[in-house]
């Protein structure tokens, strides 16, 4: 009989803290216990704890601030080519009333197509969501989203009746990298029905994937009727 190698204390502390961050028990901005407190909790040296926190910092999961402590990393939208906006805030900024409608929610084992969308190499479970966002009486945006429950276990229980998926993820899940793809296409029959526009309507499409360390978090496709949205980015020159 082959017995598993014992888990080192370093690995246990790392696994415990990483698990709390990835599950959302330690939310973005939350303060991690001090090195002294963690050393007492795990009955180990502060050097062991310091090495664990350094590894979490290198993975982008925590931020260490001198004299202030260690905190779960908040999403850094400034690092993305485009900021990750809350659709509700976009609508309210236009002076329109906002509401959202959950069209469908499906929790299942991932398909090959799901894994391609997420950029994931391994099978697992996902939550698939279709949401309509309204500005006044008009559909402002159609959201089609996959959430990887390995990276976001709490998504398996969240019903998304009271909060839209994008806002929930921004509030609950620290991400460390994002990728945007921007394109245009006609609405097509199925999406046109959900957007309440003719099938030939030109639409702006924003696709985004986010990761937490090496784990894909979500893939979302946002479809906007072409006359209802514009992308604005401000740049500053870099020195040469």
């Amino acid at each position: 009989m082959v017995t598993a190698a014992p888990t080192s204390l370093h690995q246990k502390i790392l696994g415990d803290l990483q698990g709390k961050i990835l599950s959302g028990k330690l939310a973005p901005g939350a303060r991690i216990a001090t090195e002294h407190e963690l050393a007492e909790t795990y009955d180990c040296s502060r050097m062991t704890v310091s090495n664990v926190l350094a590894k979490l910092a290198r993975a982008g999961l925590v931020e260490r601030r001198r004299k202030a402590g260690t905190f779960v990393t908040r999403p850094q939208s400034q690092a993305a080519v485009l900021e990750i906006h809350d659709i509700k805030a976009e609508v309210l900024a236009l002076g329109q009333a906002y509401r959202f409608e959950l069209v469908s929610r499906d929790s299942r084992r991932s398909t090959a197509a799901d894994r391609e969308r997420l950029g994931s190499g391994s099978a697992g479970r996902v939550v698939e969501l279709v949401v309509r966002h309204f500005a006044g009486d008009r559909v402002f945006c159609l959201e089609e989203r996959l959430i990887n429950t390995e990276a976001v276990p709490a998504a398996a229980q969240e019903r998304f009746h009271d909060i839209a998926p994008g806002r929930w993820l921004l509030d609950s899940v620290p991400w460390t990298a994002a990728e945007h793809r921007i394109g245009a296409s006609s609405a097509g029959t199925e999406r046109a029905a959900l957007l309440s526009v003719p099938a030939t309507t030109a639409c702006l499409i924003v696709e985004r994937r986010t990761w937490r360390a090496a784990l894909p978090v979500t893939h979302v496709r946002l479809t906007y009727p072409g006359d209802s949205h514009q992308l604005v980015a401000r740049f500053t020159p870099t020195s040469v």
Side-chain angles (χ1 to χ4, degrees):
M1 179 178 178
V2 179
T3 58
T7 302
S8 70
L9 197 51
H10 177 279
Q11 290 172 318
K12 176 173 173 51
I13 301 170
L14 179 64
D16 286 353
L17 291 177
Q18 183 171 275
K20 289 177 181 178
I21 294 170
L22 296 180
S23 69
K25 289 182 180 179
L26 286 172
R31 188 176 184 277
I32 305 290
T34 66
E35 288 185 9
H36 179 72
E37 290 167 339
L38 287 170
E40 283 195 344
T41 298
Y42 288 96
D43 191 21
C44 66
S45 69
R46 289 183 62 177
M47 179 63 73
T48 298
V49 171
S50 181
N51 289 338
V52 169
L53 295 178
K55 189 166 186 177
L56 290 172
R58 288 194 297 272
L61 295 178
V62 302
E63 176 187 0
R64 306 187 77 181
R65 303 176 195 165
R66 189 177 180 184
K67 296 184 178 180
T70 303
F71 299 83
V72 177
T73 304
R74 290 184 182 277
Q76 298 296 314
S77 60
Q78 295 87 346
V81 174
L82 293 173
E83 293 184 4
I84 296 181
H85 291 291
D86 175 26
I87 295 174
K88 178 179 179 179
E90 291 184 66
V91 172
L92 294 178
L94 296 172
Q96 299 287 314
Y98 170 80
R99 67 181 177 89
F100 77 92
E101 174 189 279
L102 180 64
V103 177
S104 64
R105 180 190 184 280
D106 182 28
S107 179
R108 53 181 167 75
R109 189 163 183 80
S110 64
T111 64
D114 294 335
R115 295 191 288 277
E116 183 176 353
R117 284 176 62 188
L118 286 167
S120 174
S122 58
R125 295 196 64 81
V126 296
V127 174
E128 183 176 34
L129 302 149
V130 178
V131 178
R132 298 202 300 174
H133 300 267
F134 290 81
D137 295 329
R138 184 181 181 187
V139 182
F140 178 74
C141 172
L142 176 65
E143 173 183 352
E144 299 166 272
R145 184 182 295 275
L146 279 177
I147 301 176
N148 176 18
T149 59
E150 180 184 1
V152 195
Q157 284 74 48
E158 177 60 46
R159 308 314 298 173
F160 300 105
H161 290 154
D162 301 318
I163 185 170
R167 180 71 264 169
W168 183 82
L169 285 166
L170 284 172
D171 288 344
S172 307
V173 184
W175 54 270
T176 56
E179 172 189 272
H180 285 89
R181 293 180 183 272
I182 303 166
S185 176
S186 59
T189 304
E190 292 184 12
R191 292 189 175 97
L194 290 168
L195 289 165
S196 300
V197 298
T200 55
T201 300
C203 294
L204 174 70
I205 298 167
V206 178
E207 290 190 74
R208 181 168 59 244
R209 290 191 291 187
T210 57
W211 291 263
R212 182 190 288 176
L215 280 177
V217 172
T218 187
H219 172 278
V220 62
R221 174 186 169 120
L222 302 173
T223 303
Y224 299 86
D227 61 349
S228 72
H229 193 71
Q230 57 181 319
L231 297 173
V232 178
R234 179 176 292 180
F235 300 90
T236 56
T238 57
S239 58
V240 294

